[in-house]
């Protein structure tokens, strides 16, 4: 049977369930036809003649004149059209000067598109439109500080920032890879966006003290060299407006109307800047979707949308609930996924496109099987001429999820573009030392691999390689690592570790590669990566583990270390050739990207891979014990609830990127362990089943109990982490102790002695 038949119209275990569908929106009749006597009828007629027809809520938002307005724009609901039409409405109908309107968004591309579309609106004066401020946050506030004396250069080249941070770490006596530069920059940005000064940074641990010193040196260097970075632009503007009340008043006087796009992505500093300028008129229109708040790690705060009326009691709220992008089945699935979130503005999207093509589901065995099936399907459609490569986007929760699909695309020479960092799993800073241990077992004179593994021996790279090269110049060895025993001031236990490591490397030749990796991890590497406070900063503990688990899964396909290393070398070389030819535009290539990266985009066909529990939702959101350093409590809500809701929003964003076709794949094995179909997908079908669904819970084939969202419990409920019996006749479950049982993957059922697996259970609050 060909792989194309592996896709089905229902996920495994949901036989008999209804397929979710959104309602079809009523025919879109231009409101101006029914309001011919209104003073703005002419404006809307010209819009319609130019091809812009607005539905009722869109029209209501465009017509809003004064006071605060929150426009909840569901996925594909035409928010950009509303923003440009309202701008045109203020200009043409109310005679507002173009220079009195401030329209802010987050990307240069979005800002340029808005300016172009506003300029094309019928009846508008081109020169007046030129005075309109439709800009990104950074562009607008950079212009502001430039006009008021700040002429410092923008330090924006990521590569130079990374080099500088590595140089600073060397000067402080730290190894160049003590901390990953991109992580340091993200952490520093988070502090700035939350208005936390350097003097307020924590110093409770040695790691925190090191980070504070690195940041202080970084800021000093910028000051000494006349530089500011992008975060400094907003921070400088904030301080300027705080210090110069006259300047703030002049902005408030000039900008009578302020409009913000993608409001759900706003961080604390951006929100404060907006709030300051919009006072005292409060003619503030914000457009966004709380269901698409997926950047909390970058400071985005959904409460700005959820509690907008608390800050602006007179605010009007309009919901754009008609999706013009996707088919009824795709919109319906998105509705059923997101409705389970409690912290959200209630909205159910309608659709405008009907199609006989329904979302398709697949239950492959592994990620490699998944990649084979997805690629086979794509190739078949391209060869038949029904699709082009550029029609497809492959989305995934985390960058490490693309390992299998990327390998096959690279090795088969299929046109694709990776919108991540272009780095293969084997090149990751955490994974590379493990691979290099295997390389050394094949060639003990591989000096690059030697340098790579030195930190795992708790030895300084520079000093270690210096002694190796110096001794080699005098007396070469078959295994030059033995020269490390000549390092001065080595303690006996350190010499023992070096000797043990030399013996370990030799032993890998006779092992299968997966066995060797497991041995490396158990013997020293897991402890090394998890014990390092620096590594904990760089990546969440669970993410460290998943990278190494993925390496194991990849290695399990090979019988010898030599074959595995040859495969790695082949795919790395071919990927390097592809990366050099990389362009920013997709063109006629398959797009690969994380769900985070896909927000704001749309594609004819979306393939969502890795839709299994542990991947989506991510394992870190299924274990409260591992989330304490990532999520904080919101009021009295459990940490697990906050985390799962963000994961569910990710699933919703992924689904709603598809215009015509959607494929969802849920491997039954996730990095060597059994994985249930994503609870987000299963819950969508239980909801669609309506009254026939169990009023209490649904027992899926995987044994996982999930509260039926269609039920109406007597009181409020919350979802708790639970051990759930996998034996279908048994209904036993018990809460997971996150402190004592986080390391367990299963446990025996107290009733029937069958295996219990981690799941969730809805219980009364």
């Amino acid at each position: 049977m060909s792989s194309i038949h592996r896709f089905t119209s229902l996920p495994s275990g949901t036989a008999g369930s209804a397929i979710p569908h959104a309602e079809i929106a009523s025919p879109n009749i231009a409101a101006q036809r029914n309001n011919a006597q209104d003073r703005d009828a002419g404006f809307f007629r010209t819009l319609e003649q130019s091809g812009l027809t607005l539905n009722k809520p869109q029209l209501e938002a465009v017509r809003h004149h004064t006071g605060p307005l929150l426009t909840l724009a569901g996925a594909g609901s035409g928010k950009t059209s509303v923003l440009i039409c309202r701008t045109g409405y203020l200009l043409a109908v109310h005679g507002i000067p173009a220079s009195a309107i401030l329209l802010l968004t987050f990307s240069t591309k979005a800002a340029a598109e808005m300016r172009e579309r506003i300029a094309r609106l019928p009846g508008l004066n081109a020169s007046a439109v030129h005075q309109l401020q439709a800009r990104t946050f950074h562009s607008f506030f950079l212009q502001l500080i430039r006009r008021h004396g700040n002429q410092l250069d923008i330090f924006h080249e990521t590569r130079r920032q990374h080099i500088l941070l590595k140089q600073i770490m060397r000067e402080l006596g730290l190894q160049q890879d003590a901390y990953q530069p991109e992580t340091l920059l993200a952490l520093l940005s988070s502090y700035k966006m939350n208005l936390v000064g350097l003097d307020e940074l924590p110093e409770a641990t040695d790691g925190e003290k090191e980070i504070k010193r690195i940041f202080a040196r970084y800021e000093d260097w910028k000051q000494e060299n006349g530089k500011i970075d992008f975060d400094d632009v907003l921070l400088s503007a904030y301080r300027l407006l705080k210090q110069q009340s006259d300047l703030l008043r002049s902005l408030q006087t000039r900008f009578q109307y302020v409009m913000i796009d993608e409001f759900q992505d706003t961080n604390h500093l951006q929100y404060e800047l907006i709030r300051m300028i919009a006072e005292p008129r409060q003619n503030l229109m914000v457009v966004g979707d709380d269901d698409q708040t997926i950047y909390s790690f970058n400071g985005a705060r959904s409460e700005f949308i959820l509690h907008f009326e608390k800050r602006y009691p007179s605010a009007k709220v309009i919901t754009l609930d008609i999706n013009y992008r996707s088919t009824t089945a795709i919109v319906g699935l998105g509705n059923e996924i997101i409705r389970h979130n409690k912290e959200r503005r209630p909205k159910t999207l309608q659709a405008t496109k009907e199609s006989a093509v329904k979302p398709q589901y697949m239950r492959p065995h592994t990620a490699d099987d998944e990649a084979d099936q997805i690629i086979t399907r794509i190739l078949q459609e391209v060869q038949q001429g029904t699709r082009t490569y550029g029609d497809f986007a492959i989305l995934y929760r985390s960058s490490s999820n693309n390992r299998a699909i990327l390998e096959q695309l690279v090795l088969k020479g299929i046109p694709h573009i990776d919108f991540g960092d272009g780095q293969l799993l084997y090149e990751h800073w955490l994974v590379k030392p493990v691979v290099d241990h295997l390389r050394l077992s094949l060639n003990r004179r591989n000096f690059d691999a030697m340098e790579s593994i030195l930190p795992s021996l708790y030895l300084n790279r520079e000093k270690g390689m210096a002694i190796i090269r110096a001794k080699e110049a005098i007396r070469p060895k078959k295994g030059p690592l033995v020269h490390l025993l000549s390092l001065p001031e080595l303690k006996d236990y350190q010499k023992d570790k070096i000797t043990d490591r030399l013996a370990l490397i030799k032993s890998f030749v006779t092992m299968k590669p997966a066995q060797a990796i497991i041995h490396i991890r158990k013997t020293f590497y897991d402890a090394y990566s998890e014990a390092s406070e620096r590594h904990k900063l760089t990546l969440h503990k669970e993410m460290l583990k998943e990278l190494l688990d993925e390496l194991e899964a990849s290695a399990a396909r090979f019988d010898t270390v030599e074959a595995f290393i040859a495969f790695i070398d082949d795919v790395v070389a071919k990927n390097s050739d592809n990366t050099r030819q990389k362009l920013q535009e997709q063109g006629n290539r398959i797009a690969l990207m994380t769900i985070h990266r896909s927000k704001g985009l749309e594609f004819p066909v979306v393939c969502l891979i890795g839709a299994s529990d542990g991947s989506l939702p991510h394992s870190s959101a299924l274990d409260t014990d591992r989330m304490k350093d990532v999520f904080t409590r919101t009021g009295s809500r459990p940490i697990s609830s906050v985390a799962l809701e963000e994961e569910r929003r990710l699933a919703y964003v992924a689904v709603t990127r598809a215009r015509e076709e959607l494929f969802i794949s849920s491997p039954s094995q996730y990095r060597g362990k059994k994985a249930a179909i994503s609870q987000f997908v299963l819950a969508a079908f239980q909801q669609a089943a309506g009254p026939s669904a169990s009023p209490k819970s649904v027992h899926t084939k995987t044994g996982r109990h999930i509260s039926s969202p269609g039920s109406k419990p007597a009181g409020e409920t919350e979802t708790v982490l639970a051990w759930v019996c996998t034996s279908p006749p048994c209904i036993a479950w018990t809460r997971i102790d996150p402190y004592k049982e986080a390391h367990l993957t299963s446990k025996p059922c107290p009733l029937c002695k069958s295996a219990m697996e981690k799941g969730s259970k809805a219980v009364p609050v």
Side-chain angles (χ1 to χ4, degrees):
M1 180 182 292
S2 81
S3 60
I4 195 168
H5 300 298
R6 298 280 294 274
F7 291 95
T8 60
S9 59
L10 286 169
S12 176
T14 60
S17 297
I19 295 176
H21 274 78
E23 291 183 6
I24 284 285
S26 58
N28 188 9
I29 300 174
Q32 59 266 27
R33 292 179 181 171
N34 300 321
N35 299 278
Q37 304 304 315
D38 292 343
R39 60 178 288 211
D40 56 12
F43 173 77
F44 289 111
R45 271 198 300 273
T46 59
L47 284 186
E48 186 179 46
Q49 289 165 5
S50 67
L52 265 172
T53 304
L54 303 175
N55 62 42
K56 186 176 179 180
Q58 288 176 329
L59 181 67
E60 189 179 1
V62 169
R63 276 179 159 157
H64 182 80
H65 185 200
T66 58
L69 169 65
L70 169 60
T71 305
L72 294 170
S77 62
K79 69 177 179 63
T80 304
S81 294
V82 167
L83 281 165
I84 65 168
C85 288
R86 186 183 185 238
T87 303
Y89 187 85
L90 291 173
L91 294 171
V93 177
H94 288 289
I96 305 300
S99 59
I101 298 174
L102 175 60
L103 174 54
L104 294 179
T105 187
F106 282 83
S107 74
T108 303
K109 184 177 180 180
E113 179 189 352
M114 286 187 184
R115 286 194 298 269
E116 290 169 8
R117 290 182 63 179
I118 292 169
R120 292 200 302 268
L121 288 175
L124 295 188
N125 184 297
S127 62
V129 173
H130 185 68
Q131 300 175 41
L132 177 75
Q133 293 289 313
R135 313 278 286 277
T136 65
F137 275 89
H138 287 95
S139 170
F140 175 77
F141 288 107
L142 176 61
Q143 183 184 66
L144 177 68
I145 65 174
R146 287 280 190 255
R147 287 178 176 174
H148 291 84
N150 189 327
Q151 299 302 319
L152 299 177
D153 292 335
I154 301 294
F155 188 40
H156 62 86
E157 295 179 31
T158 303
R159 181 173 172 275
R160 289 185 62 201
Q161 290 174 324
H162 288 187
I163 291 171
L164 173 60
L165 285 167
K166 289 181 178 180
Q167 179 183 329
I168 289 170
M169 284 187 275
R170 277 201 308 271
E171 292 171 357
L172 293 175
L174 302 171
Q175 293 195 60
Q176 288 189 43
D177 57 356
Y179 300 98
Q180 296 303 302
E182 58 269 30
T183 307
L184 290 172
L185 290 171
L187 183 61
L188 181 58
S189 175
S190 175
Y191 284 132
K192 289 181 179 180
M193 293 304 100
N194 284 289
L195 297 173
V196 178
L198 276 180
D199 57 335
E200 301 174 86
L201 299 190
E203 295 184 88
T205 67
D206 290 340
E208 289 174 348
K209 291 174 184 175
E210 286 177 354
I211 291 165
K212 188 169 182 176
R213 288 167 64 203
I214 292 169
F215 288 165
R217 288 279 187 97
Y218 179 73
E219 294 299 317
D220 287 345
W221 182 92
K222 286 191 300 178
Q223 187 173 4
E224 291 164 3
N225 290 272
K227 306 282 187 184
I228 56 172
D229 57 30
F230 282 124
D231 293 328
D232 295 327
V233 170
L234 299 185
L235 198 55
S236 298
Y238 175 78
R239 290 169 179 163
L240 183 66
L241 295 180
K242 280 289 189 181
Q243 293 163 3
Q244 297 189 23
S245 56
D246 289 346
L247 173 60
L248 177 56
R249 276 195 297 273
S250 71
L251 291 177
Q252 292 170 340
T253 300
R254 175 185 173 183
F255 294 113
Q256 301 172 35
Y257 293 86
V258 180
M259 290 183 276
I260 309 298
D261 187 22
E262 300 286 6
F263 188 60
Q264 76 279 347
D265 294 339
T266 307
N267 61 44
H268 178 56
L269 177 54
Q270 290 164 336
Y271 181 69
E272 286 301 309
L273 287 165
I274 294 163
R275 186 188 61 77
M276 291 164 69
I277 294 174
E279 296 289 346
R281 286 189 176 90
Q282 296 192 356
N283 290 334
L284 173 64
M285 177 188 186
V286 298
V287 181
D289 184 7
D290 54 299
D291 289 334
Q292 297 186 63
T293 305
I294 59 174
Y295 290 116
S296 64
F297 63 90
N298 271 349
R301 293 164 63 168
S302 60
E303 61 261 33
F304 295 150
I305 283 186
L306 296 176
H307 307 307
F308 189 73
E309 298 98 319
K310 289 184 179 179
R311 179 63 185 82
Y312 299 99
S314 63
K316 186 172 186 178
V317 179
I318 296 172
T319 302
L320 307 183
D321 59 358
I322 299 177
N323 179 295
Y324 293 94
R325 174 188 300 157
S326 310
T327 65
T328 53
I330 293 171
V331 176
L333 178 61
N335 284 339
E336 300 305 330
I337 286 173
I338 200 61
R339 75 167 64 247
H340 297 283
N341 273 4
K342 294 180 180 179
E343 289 294 310
R344 66 183 292 259
R345 296 269 185 167
K347 62 182 100 56
T348 302
L349 299 188
Q350 303 172 69
T352 56
K353 297 178 181 178
E354 287 194 89
S355 172
V357 179
K358 306 297 186 291
Q360 299 289 296
Y361 305 86
M362 183 172 67
R363 185 71 161 148
H365 183 56
T366 65
D368 291 286
D369 184 31
E370 173 183 69
D372 180 62
Q373 305 300 323
I374 293 286
I375 291 173
T376 298
R377 176 75 183 227
I378 292 173
L379 287 176
Q380 184 163 349
E381 294 208 17
V382 171
Q383 290 163 3
Q384 290 173 348
T386 55
R387 291 287 181 192
T388 66
Y389 289 120
D391 287 336
F392 293 91
I394 299 174
L395 308 184
Y396 33 85
R397 168 61 178 85
S398 303
S399 56
S400 61
N401 292 130
N402 77 358
R403 190 271 308 166
I405 202 95
L406 182 57
E407 283 178 1
Q408 292 201 31
L409 290 172
V410 167
L411 293 174
K412 293 178 180 179
I414 298 171
H416 68 278
I417 177 169
D418 178 6
F419 283 96
D421 57 14
Q423 186 182 60
L424 292 168
L425 171 76
Y426 314 107
E427 300 170 296
H428 191 278
W429 63 268
L430 181 76
V431 172
K432 190 174 182 300
V434 178
V435 174
D436 283 336
H437 276 84
L438 303 185
R439 291 187 188 280
L440 283 169
S441 72
L442 300 175
N443 175 14
R444 286 187 288 155
R445 293 188 60 79
N446 186 325
F447 288 89
D448 289 338
M450 285 179 221
E451 184 174 354
S452 171
I453 75 164
L454 291 182
S456 68
L457 283 163
Y458 300 94
L459 298 175
N460 181 279
R461 286 179 190 268
E462 288 77 14
K463 292 180 180 178
M465 291 309 297
I467 196 76
I468 288 173
R469 294 188 186 282
K471 293 291 183 181
E472 272 294 290
I474 300 170
R475 189 175 181 183
K477 296 280 189 179
K478 289 183 179 179
L481 272 177
V482 73
H483 294 308
L484 293 174
L485 294 171
S486 302
L487 277 166
E489 301 179 3
L490 271 187
K491 295 181 174 60
D492 287 342
Y493 79 88
Q494 290 176 303
K495 291 181 179 179
D496 291 342
K497 282 186 177 297
I498 294 170
T499 303
D500 290 344
R501 188 71 61 85
L502 293 172
L504 193 66
I505 289 170
K506 289 181 181 179
S507 71
F508 295 150
V509 179
T510 59
M511 294 184 186
K512 290 189 174 182
Q515 181 187 6
I517 292 167
I518 292 169
H519 202 58
I520 290 170
R521 294 183 65 181
K522 285 185 176 179
T523 306
F524 65 91
Y525 202 73
D526 278 354
Y528 160 72
S529 62
E530 291 175 11
S532 171
E533 185 180 347
R534 296 162 182 167
H535 287 177
K536 287 179 182 178
L537 165 73
T538 303
L539 280 178
H540 186 253
K541 178 181 175 181
E542 187 65 25
M543 294 178 185
L544 291 172
K545 179 178 180 297
E546 74 177 20
L547 286 165
L548 298 174
D549 287 348
E550 187 64 42
L551 180 64
E552 274 186 36
S554 176
R557 299 171 293 167
F558 300 89
D559 290 328
T560 66
V561 169
E562 185 175 15
F564 184 42
I565 294 299
F567 169 80
I568 291 174
D569 289 343
D570 186 23
V571 73
V572 167
K574 289 178 178 175
N575 188 60
S576 296
D577 292 340
N578 181 70
T579 303
R580 280 194 293 271
Q581 300 168 8
K582 181 177 179 179
L583 301 173
Q584 292 306 307
E585 297 298 326
Q586 179 182 356
N588 188 24
R589 296 183 287 180
I590 300 168
L592 276 70
M593 64 184 74
T594 62
I595 300 170
H596 286 100
R597 176 67 177 76
S598 75
K599 196 177 80 65
L601 304 177
E602 58 183 65
F603 305 90
V605 186
V606 165
C607 304
L608 174 59
I609 63 174
S612 303
D613 277 0
S615 174
L616 183 67
H618 192 270
S619 54
S620 61
L622 295 172
D623 194 332
T624 55
D625 183 48
R626 293 192 182 113
M627 286 164 11
K628 290 178 183 177
D629 58 341
V630 179
F631 296 96
T632 57
R633 291 185 181 273
T634 302
S636 59
R637 298 185 69 220
I639 299 174
S640 57
S641 176
V642 175
L644 278 172
E645 292 208 354
E646 177 126 352
E647 292 292 305
R648 190 177 284 109
R649 290 194 291 270
L650 278 169
Y652 174 74
V653 167
V655 165
T656 55
R657 298 311 93 197
R659 292 204 301 264
E660 300 162 13
E661 291 187 86
L662 173 66
F663 298 94
I664 298 178
S665 174
S666 306
S668 60
Q669 292 284 329
Y670 182 57
R671 292 168 181 156
K673 297 177 182 176
K674 183 180 177 183
I677 294 173
S678 172
Q679 57 188 265
F680 302 150
V681 174
L682 293 179
F685 283 85
Q686 289 148 14
Q687 175 70 22
S692 63
S694 167
K696 294 181 181 179
S697 64
V698 176
H699 198 169
T700 70
K701 287 185 178 180
T702 63
R704 189 176 298 273
H705 284 77
I706 301 175
S707 173
S708 170
S711 63
K712 295 183 178 179
E716 186 182 356
T717 64
E718 67 178 15
T719 300
V720 299
L721 299 175
W723 291 108
V724 182
C725 184
T726 58
S727 177
C730 184
I731 60 171
W733 71 276
T734 182
R735 287 184 186 243
I736 293 173
D737 185 330
Y739 297 97
K740 297 180 180 178
E741 300 178 324
H743 64 289
L744 299 179
T745 56
S746 65
K747 62 183 289 186
C749 174
L751 296 183
C752 69
K753 306 306 178 185
S754 298
M756 301 183 88
E757 66 176 19
K758 289 182 179 179
S760 59
K761 186 75 175 179
V763 299
V765 175

